[in-house]
Structures are given as structure tokens and as C-alpha cells.
Amino acid sequence: MDTTGSAKGKDSVQKRSPLDLIMNQLRRKTSFTEKKKPAVGRFFRPSESSEKKNAGIPEMKEPEAGEGKDSTEPGTDTNDMDDETGSVVGWGRVKQFVQKLGKTPNSQNLSLSHCDLTATDVVELATLLLFLTQLEMMDLSWNDLVGGSLKALTAHLQHIGKLRVLKLCSCRLTAQDLTALGESLDCIPLIEVLDLSWNVGIGVGNFRHFTEHLRPESTLKELRLVDCQLSEADVTALSEALPMLTSLEELDLSNNKLLVKGMENLTSSLGSTPKLKTLKLSMCGLNNDGLSILGQALRFIPALEHLDLSCNKESGGGLTKLAINLTVLTNLKSLDMHLCCLTEEDILALVQVAPSFKELRELDLSSNKSVGDTLQNLLHTLPLSQITKLPLNNCALSTSACQALASTVPLLKQLESLNLSWNKCVGENLRQFLEPLQSDCKLQELRLSSCNLTTEDVLHLESACQRGALSQLKQLDLSYNSSVGDGGWTSLFGKAAGLKGLKELDVSLRPAASLSVSPWIPALLEALPHLSSLTRLSLQNWSLTLAEREKLEKTLCKKNIILECDRLATITSKAAG
């Protein structure tokens, strides 16, 4: 017996993986023992013990009688067989790497976000790209240590030429990383979505390291740079690059301070992106001058469908300058200006141009107190029959405004989301909103938090459930309504069968409140079997006895429902007595 060969075989065996043994047994026509090389990760991961590395089943097959080099069938291309075998071995390495990180392997979609990737992992991943030729989406977001080591990965991007989506959010990217990414763009010619959000290293003048590598006729359709601390120089670099992004459909610059000069530079290049459909400038510090500059540029992007200007608190009074230019956006489907400190004059200016919004589906003016007194005028000018989302939370709605809104409910045929939270006038008036609803109602989200609801209001909600008007509802928020009596909750849960599609239910109390669930928790427990779609139940700040909590948790556990309930609110039976 050749003991030397046996020793080599044994040594090779210890370096093989269990998956490779299985694949080898399926392909007994050839041996690739000498071709197999150790995975790079085995040398770069000192934390892996030798016991773990050697615990695998040998992949090397036992030779069968008469099988050897000369046993290859006539006409068989040995190189093709080697390529196929190598591919199988490579996919085994990919699976092992991905599963080690707690993720599910997928040859087209590689999601490794929140995996605490190290520089060593990035190097190992780079060697595996050769076996991911069908990859279309790669997400490495929320891995801080990717920053500074991205070049090790981009040097191998030529193997994944079909890549369309690349996400590198919150990876602490550096100027060197941006240069490496820019230089590799030619290797991924089909790239359509690039998300570099929450990388502060992109700002302070570094973004040019990426943009200077962009080529004309880029395929990029979506570029997201949320909260990257973009400076005026970075915005200028982006503006100079826009003429090469003629296919761009979405640009998100939210949470970046855009000064007047930056807005002028940006808007001057928007004409180079005629296909732009989504522009997000939320929390960008836009003031009246900023809105005016933006308004003048809107005529260059007539295809715009979604405009997000929310959380620009200094823009109050500026909508009067922007509104007249909104009329050119005949394809506008959603306008978001929540929390913008809009004035009554702003809303009235919007009323004047609203009739031109023939395609409008979503209008978010929430957290603007001035809406309360002008809502009735606005409702008369909107295409109500096609509105799908109408957030009016925290708008200081008056009783007359509530009545005006309630009168339009029969016209809101396509409404899927209605948020009236933090409007106290809704209490004692909920019936007006609910009675017009019929079984064909498309409402999926109803939020009534802190609306001063009464027991009678909840009884009307129960009635809507009973007649099937809320059968499509998926999210129901009734939190912070401590004025609802026990009888209201008991009756509502008694008609839970009418909420068969409900996924999230919130009946939490305010932190200062503390009431007992004992009068109605039996009704809730009986209702749970009917709530077949429920995934989350929030009972914050309600008091439960230990026995009630244990029984509730046991029931919810069987149905895989998440319970949100402050454990400090749990009291012992003796204390409850």
C-alpha cells in the first residue's frame, strides 16, 4: 500500500467540506482532489478553531474499481467537466460563507446587511464573486468595517457584470473607497440602483472621487445619498455629474443641508435628467429662497411623479412661491410637505393649483396646524376619487373641518390609508367617518391615536367591523385613548371576525396612565383565534396580573404574535386584589 498517497489523501480530506462530498458522489466520473484549493477565508479567520475547520466530511471520493484517469468516456470534454465541478465547489463555499453570517444563500440576491462584516470577510467575499455570476442585487449596508476595505471587493466586480442593485448604506466609506467604487463602474455596466446613504465620509468634498469616474449614458436610475453631510462642493460635483445620468429616475438627497448656492447648482443641472420621477429633499434646510429656486427648475423635469419636501421647517410661507410652478407637474402622484410650518396662505396657494393635479394619489400635509382652518377649501379641489393616502395627523382639525372631511368619505373610493391621530375633534365624531364605509372599502390603515375617542366611538367601530367595512384593514392604531370604557374594548374584540386581515393592533395607553385589562382581556383572548393575520399587538402601559400576562403570552406565542407590553405594568394577583 502506498502510505504516502494515503497520507496525502487524508490531509486533503481534512480540508474538504460536507457539501463537496455530496456533490462529488453525484459526479463520479472525475476527481478534482489536486485542483481544490483552500478557501481564502480559512487563512483570514483566525477565530475559527482547527477543530471546526477539520470537522467536515471528506469530499474526496473513494476510488472505484477500474476508475482512474483513463476511465473518462470518449468524447467527454474534461475542461467542461472541471468547470462544472469547480462551479459546484464554489457555490458550496458561497453557501458556507453566507450561512456562517446567519443569512440565506441566493445566487441572484446577496443580502449581508447588519452582519458585522470585517475587512477579512470583505476579502473572502471578493474571492467568491467568481461563483456569483448571476448576482443582480448586493446589499452590504450597516457594516461599519467595510469602509477602508472596499477596494478588495471592487477589484473583483468584473465577475458580477449582471449586478443591478448595490447598497452600501452606513459602511463608513472613505475617499479611497469612493475612488475604488468609481473606477469599478465599467465592470458593472447594468447598475441601476446605488444607495450610499448614511456615509458621512462621502461629504466634506469627497464625493468628487466617485463622480469623476462616471461616464456618459450611465444606466443608473436611482441614486440615494441620505444624510451624507454633503457640502457645497459635493453638491457641485453631483450637479456636474448629472448630465451623464440621463437615465436617472430617483434622486434622494434628504437630510443634507442644502444652502441657496447648492440649490442653484443642483437645479441648474436638473434639465439633464428628463426622466426623473422621484425627487426627495426632506430635511434639507430649505427656506423660502430654496423653494423659489426649486420652483423655477420644475419645468425641466415634467415627468416628476413624487416630490418630497417634508420636514423643512424654514419653508413656511415659501409654498406661495413654489405653488405656481407645480402646475407644470401634470404627472405628479404624491406631494409630501408634512412638518413644514406651512401658513394659511401656503395652503390657499395650494388650493389654487390643486385642480391641475389630475394624477395625484397621495397628499401629506400632516403636522401643519394651518391645515385645520383651510381643509374644507382644499378638499373641494382634490381628485378625491383616486386619492389612496391622506395623512392629516396633528393638523389641529376643527369640528367643521372634521365634518367636511367626513362628508367626502363616500368619494374616497380608493382610499387605503387615513391618519387622523392627534386631532381631538375626532372624538365623539367618529361615526360620521365610519357610517359611509361599505363592504367594498379598500382601507388598509386607520390611525386614530390620541383622538379623545369615547366608548360610543369604539362601538361605531365595532359596527363597521360587523358589516364587513373593515375587512381589508391591516393596521389599526387606537392608542392613547384612555377615555374609552371597558365596554367599548369588550364589544370591539367581540366582533374581531370582521378584522380578519388585521396585522397590527395598538391599544396602548399614555405613559402616565395605568388601567387594568381584567374587564376585557377575556374578550381579547376569545378574539385572537379570529385574528388569523395578526402579527403584532401593543398593550403598552396597561396593567396585567401575572396570570393574565402568562396566559396572553402563551396564546400569542402559539400564533407567533409579537406582544409589546411594559413588564413594569405586570402586577401580582395579590397586589391586584
Side-chain angles (χ1 to χ4, degrees):
M1 177 181 293
D2 188 349
T3 56
T4 303
S6 176
K8 287 182 179 181
K10 183 176 180 181
D11 183 66
S12 177
V13 162
Q14 291 179 332
K15 295 181 181 179
R16 309 299 180 182
S17 69
L19 177 64
D20 292 334
L21 171 65
I22 298 172
M23 302 314 299
N24 243 336
Q25 291 173 339
L26 294 176
R27 293 170 175 79
R28 287 187 173 275
K29 295 298 182 181
T30 186
S31 171
F32 50 89
T33 304
E34 295 181 359
K35 296 181 182 290
K36 179 74 168 67
K37 294 182 179 180
V40 174
R42 291 182 178 136
F43 297 109
F44 284 89
R45 275 193 174 274
S47 60
E48 290 184 352
S49 66
S50 59
E51 178 183 353
K52 181 176 180 181
K53 287 191 284 186
N54 295 331
I57 303 173
E59 70 171 11
M60 180 180 173
K61 69 181 179 67
E62 302 244 348
E64 294 183 357
E67 189 176 277
K69 289 184 179 180
D70 297 332
S71 64
T72 304
E73 296 180 6
T76 302
D77 190 331
T78 306
N79 291 333
D80 289 344
M81 294 173 61
D82 289 343
D83 291 342
E84 181 183 359
T85 300
S87 178
V88 170
V89 174
W91 178 241
R93 289 176 55 197
V94 171
K95 290 184 66 175
Q96 186 178 32
F97 176 76
V98 175
Q99 290 172 344
K100 174 178 59 180
L101 297 171
K103 299 288 186 173
T104 302
N106 187 308
S107 62
Q108 293 182 314
N109 187 327
L110 182 63
S111 179
L112 299 178
S113 60
H114 298 279
C115 282
D116 293 325
L117 295 180
T118 65
T120 299
D121 293 323
V122 175
V123 172
E124 184 172 0
L125 175 59
T127 67
L128 299 177
L129 295 184
L130 175 63
F131 311 109
L132 289 167
T133 56
Q134 302 302 312
L135 195 64
E136 295 184 3
M137 195 285 285
M138 181 162 63
D139 185 357
L140 304 180
S141 300
W142 305 100
N143 289 290
D144 290 346
L145 298 183
V146 169
S149 60
L150 192 62
K151 188 172 183 178
L153 185 69
T154 59
H156 296 266
L157 289 185
Q158 71 272 14
H159 298 303
I160 52 174
K162 295 183 179 181
L163 192 69
R164 295 180 182 276
V165 180
L166 179 59
K167 298 181 179 182
L168 295 168
C169 305
S170 190
C171 287
R172 293 192 179 182
L173 299 184
T174 65
Q176 291 75 20
D177 294 323
L178 292 174
T179 298
L181 181 59
E183 291 175 343
S184 68
L185 288 176
D186 289 339
C187 299
I188 45 177
L190 302 180
I191 192 71
E192 295 181 350
V193 179
L194 182 60
D195 194 343
L196 303 177
S197 300
W198 296 288
N199 283 291
V200 296
I202 289 179
V204 296
N206 287 333
F207 193 47
R208 63 179 177 82
H209 292 293
F210 172 76
T211 58
E212 64 188 11
H213 295 284
L214 289 170
R215 298 288 181 266
E217 304 301 324
S218 167
T219 58
L220 202 61
K221 293 183 177 180
E222 299 179 18
L223 179 60
R224 300 178 188 132
L225 300 168
V226 178
D227 197 10
C228 287
Q229 295 189 14
L230 299 181
S231 65
E232 185 175 309
D234 297 310
V235 177
T236 299
L238 173 61
S239 303
E240 294 173 348
L242 285 180
M244 288 173 281
L245 302 178
T246 55
S247 297
L248 197 65
E249 296 181 2
E250 178 177 331
L251 178 61
D252 191 348
L253 301 179
S254 298
N255 292 37
N256 289 290
K257 187 74 171 180
L258 298 181
L259 302 178
V260 171
K261 184 62 176 178
M263 280 298 295
E264 289 177 343
N265 291 336
L266 176 65
T267 56
S268 66
S269 298
L270 286 180
S272 303
T273 58
K275 297 181 180 179
L276 194 66
K277 295 181 179 179
T278 300
L279 179 60
K280 296 183 178 182
L281 299 174
S282 176
M283 206 178 294
C284 285
L286 299 183
N287 54 21
N288 291 3
D289 292 335
L291 289 186
S292 179
I293 294 170
L294 175 62
Q296 295 171 19
L298 292 181
R299 66 180 183 275
F300 299 121
I301 46 176
L304 199 67
E305 297 180 358
H306 309 280
L307 180 59
D308 184 355
L309 301 174
S310 61
C311 303
N312 286 293
K313 296 183 179 180
E314 298 176 14
S315 61
L319 186 54
T320 55
K321 300 179 181 179
L322 175 67
I324 189 62
N325 295 292
L326 290 175
T327 57
V328 302
L329 302 180
T330 56
N331 297 306
L332 193 65
K333 293 182 178 179
S334 71
L335 176 62
D336 189 347
M337 296 198 70
H338 78 267
L339 199 59
C340 282
C341 297
L342 298 181
T343 65
E344 185 173 337
E345 289 73 23
D346 288 325
I347 304 300
L348 293 177
L350 188 60
V351 168
Q352 297 299 315
V353 299
S356 64
F357 301 154
K358 303 296 184 182
E359 302 297 324
L360 195 67
R361 301 289 188 275
E362 301 179 7
L363 178 62
D364 191 346
L365 300 177
S366 60
S367 298
N368 287 292
K369 303 293 186 181
S370 60
V371 173
D373 295 325
T374 55
L375 181 62
Q376 187 170 357
N377 294 329
L378 183 61
L379 290 174
H380 288 317
T381 61
L382 293 176
L384 298 177
S385 62
Q386 58 195 36
I387 295 292
T388 60
K389 187 175 182 179
L390 192 59
L392 292 169
N393 47 295
N394 198 25
C395 282
L397 298 184
S398 62
T399 300
S400 59
C402 276
Q403 293 173 346
L405 177 60
S407 66
T408 65
V409 169
L411 303 176
L412 296 167
K413 299 292 186 180
Q414 304 300 320
L415 191 64
E416 297 177 357
S417 175
L418 178 62
N419 190 343
L420 298 176
S421 296
W422 303 93
N423 287 293
K424 305 302 181 183
C425 68
V426 176
E428 298 184 349
N429 289 295
L430 188 59
R431 175 179 61 85
Q432 301 177 53
F433 293 93
L434 298 176
E435 282 190 344
L437 300 181
Q438 301 301 320
S439 58
D440 60 348
C441 175
K442 293 180 171 59
L443 201 61
Q444 298 181 19
E445 179 182 16
L446 179 59
R447 298 191 178 277
L448 301 169
S449 177
S450 191
C451 283
N452 275 359
L453 297 185
T454 65
T455 299
E456 185 177 355
D457 290 321
V458 176
L459 292 178
H460 287 298
L461 192 61
E462 170 213 339
S463 178
C465 292
Q466 189 172 12
R467 65 176 184 271
L470 299 177
S471 60
Q472 302 297 317
L473 203 62
K474 295 180 179 179
Q475 295 176 308
L476 179 59
D477 185 357
L478 301 175
S479 60
Y480 293 8
N481 286 291
S482 57
S483 53
V484 176
D486 296 330
W489 300 122
T490 300
S491 297
L492 178 62
F493 295 135
K495 296 297 184 294
L499 295 170
K500 58 184 179 181
L502 196 65
K503 291 185 176 181
E504 298 183 12
L505 174 61
D506 190 348
V507 294
S508 299
L509 296 176
R510 295 177 182 276
S514 181
L515 300 174
S516 173
V517 303
S518 297
W520 52 262
I521 196 169
L524 173 61
L525 292 171
E526 290 181 9
L528 289 175
H530 301 289
L531 298 173
S532 56
S533 300
L534 195 65
T535 60
R536 185 180 299 273
L537 174 64
S538 185
L539 300 176
Q540 297 284 14
N541 302 310
W542 284 95
S543 297
L544 296 84
T545 66
L546 186 60
E548 288 169 342
R549 185 183 187 98
E550 289 177 348
K551 188 173 183 179
L552 179 59
E553 288 182 338
K554 183 178 180 180
T555 303
L556 296 179
C557 185
K558 291 179 180 179
K559 297 173 63 63
N560 292 321
I561 299 174
I562 297 174
L563 174 64
E564 295 179 348
C565 183
D566 188 356
R567 287 193 171 274
L568 294 178
T570 303
I571 56 178
T572 64
S573 299
K574 184 176 181 180

